[in-house]
Amino acid sequence: MKKSLIAGNWKMYKTPKESIEFVNSLIKNLKDYEDRDVLICPPFTSLYPISQIIKNSKLKLGAQNVYFENEGAFTGEISPIMLKDIGVEYVICGHSERRNIFGETDEIINKKVKKVVETGMKAILCVGEKLEEREKGETFKVVESQVKKCLEGFDKIEEIVIAYEPVWAIGTGKTAQPHQAEEVHIFIRELISKIYNKDIAENLIILYGGSVKPENIDQLMKEKNIDGVLVGGACLKIDSFLRIIDYRR
Ligand code: 13P
């Protein structure tokens, strides 16, 4: 059975002390699920202390970014080996904030995805169109180009998760309607089926991200091709994150 994945992207929130308090409370209140995995992606400074706390729990640990070299004179960067060494299992690659604020290109993201998987972790590849692209009817074209370029020359597709995050829905309170998300998820699955094969496409986890909250999680998760969510703002408060994790289909 394919498990769903509920992931929290903390972005640039929570000091190590706040992170530890949050995770202790999360572990205490988390139910024992068989059909879903729960992943948290805190800032770099909180990864190590959290990795120690969650060792005997079912929580999974992810990072929000990485560099594509193992070591070297790359001031300010973090290497995949450093992440793997402390128990990080997933790395978000190509989040729209990395693309739009920090100028990450599909080519850079391609190198990151490959390096993450080569190091033995799973990459969460983020794709999604901007508002003006959607309004011009270019959603599928943009998503197709991002998926193809970010996965060029990459064959370990079993080791990645794709997150569809329409930029206009991130942090805006405007969630994509479940059917709007579903049609892009279907498109991505068909694209992966064409590039790789049907089996791989069926087993691929495709997450939706963009203003996911307790009020809309159940509707989103009812869609057949939505295998989980990547949550921003609503994963920072324990009650709302617990309710999202506890979605009912
Ligand atoms: P929000 O849930 O705050 O819209 O953020 C979504 C996101 O960017 C997750 O990566």
Side-chain angles (χ1 to χ4, degrees):
M1 184 194 57
K2 181 161 93 173
K3 281 191 186 187
S4 63
L5 178 63
I6 306 297
N9 173 8
W10 294 14
K11 307 195 178 182
M12 201 173 72
Y13 290 96
K14 296 190 192 296
T15 62
K17 185 166 173 277
E18 290 164 346
S19 304
I20 291 167
E21 280 168 17
F22 182 89
V23 172
N24 278 330
S25 164
L26 187 58
I27 293 174
K28 212 167 81 193
N29 290 290
L30 199 60
K31 294 186 195 164
D32 203 10
Y33 298 101
E34 290 298 321
D35 63 343
R36 58 198 80 178
D37 284 324
V38 180
L39 167 70
I40 50 171
C41 305
F44 286 128
T45 44
S46 296
L47 285 173
Y48 183 71
I50 292 182
S51 71
Q52 300 305 298
I53 300 176
I54 66 170
K55 266 186 182 152
N56 298 314
S57 82
K58 281 189 152 184
L59 272 180
K60 293 180 177 295
L61 189 60
Q64 300 171 20
N65 188 23
V66 69
Y67 193 57
F68 52 75
E69 295 288 348
N70 287 343
E71 58 182 10
F74 302 107
T75 302
E77 294 296 321
I78 299 284
S79 105
I81 303 181
M82 297 169 187
L83 297 177
K84 170 82 178 158
D85 187 66
I86 59 167
V88 167
E89 284 183 70
Y90 290 81
V91 182
I92 299 174
C93 297
H95 190 278
S96 63
E97 284 148 20
R98 300 286 334 155
R99 292 174 187 263
N100 299 327
I101 305 173
F102 302 101
E104 278 190 23
T105 59
D106 290 324
E107 289 69 30
I108 294 174
I109 297 160
N110 175 276
K111 288 188 189 171
K112 291 187 175 187
V113 168
K114 286 177 178 163
K115 193 71 189 179
V116 163
V117 171
E118 186 189 304
T119 312
M121 298 176 289
K122 289 184 189 290
I124 302 180
L125 168 64
C126 299
V127 296
E129 80 288 1
K130 294 182 184 155
L131 183 59
E132 59 268 30
E133 293 165 335
R134 173 161 282 264
E135 284 171 347
K136 278 193 264 167
E138 292 175 350
T139 299
F140 294 134
K141 192 177 104 185
V142 169
V143 168
E144 176 168 356
S145 161
Q146 290 172 336
V147 168
K148 282 187 171 160
K149 287 186 181 156
C150 293
L151 295 181
E152 202 176 295
F154 176 75
D155 56 10
K156 296 231 173 67
I157 188 84
E158 304 84 354
E159 302 303 321
I160 74 156
V161 168
I162 293 183
Y164 169 57
E165 299 208 305
V167 180
W168 49 271
I170 296 179
T172 58
K174 264 203 226 166
T175 325
Q177 293 300 310
H179 71 272
Q180 283 179 312
E182 173 72 1
E183 68 176 5
V184 181
H185 284 223
I186 292 172
F187 176 79
I188 294 172
R189 210 178 292 286
E190 282 171 357
L191 183 61
I192 293 297
S193 176
K194 272 188 241 157
I195 306 176
Y196 299 91
N197 66 54
K198 196 157 177 276
D199 250 22
I200 281 180
E202 270 168 18
N203 287 316
L204 176 70
I205 302 267
I206 307 179
L207 308 180
Y208 166 77
S211 299
V212 173
K213 42 196 170 213
E215 295 76 28
N216 57 29
I217 184 67
D218 294 346
Q219 283 309 111
L220 286 163
M221 291 303 291
K222 282 194 174 85
E223 297 293 340
K224 187 167 166 283
N225 286 280
I226 299 184
D227 306 309
V229 285
L230 183 53
V231 189
C235 80
L236 296 169
K237 294 238 161 62
I238 196 81
D239 289 346
S240 68
F241 193 44
L242 282 168
R243 174 61 184 89
I244 290 170
I245 294 168
D246 199 37
Y247 72 83
R248 295 134 215 183
R249 269 187 163 134

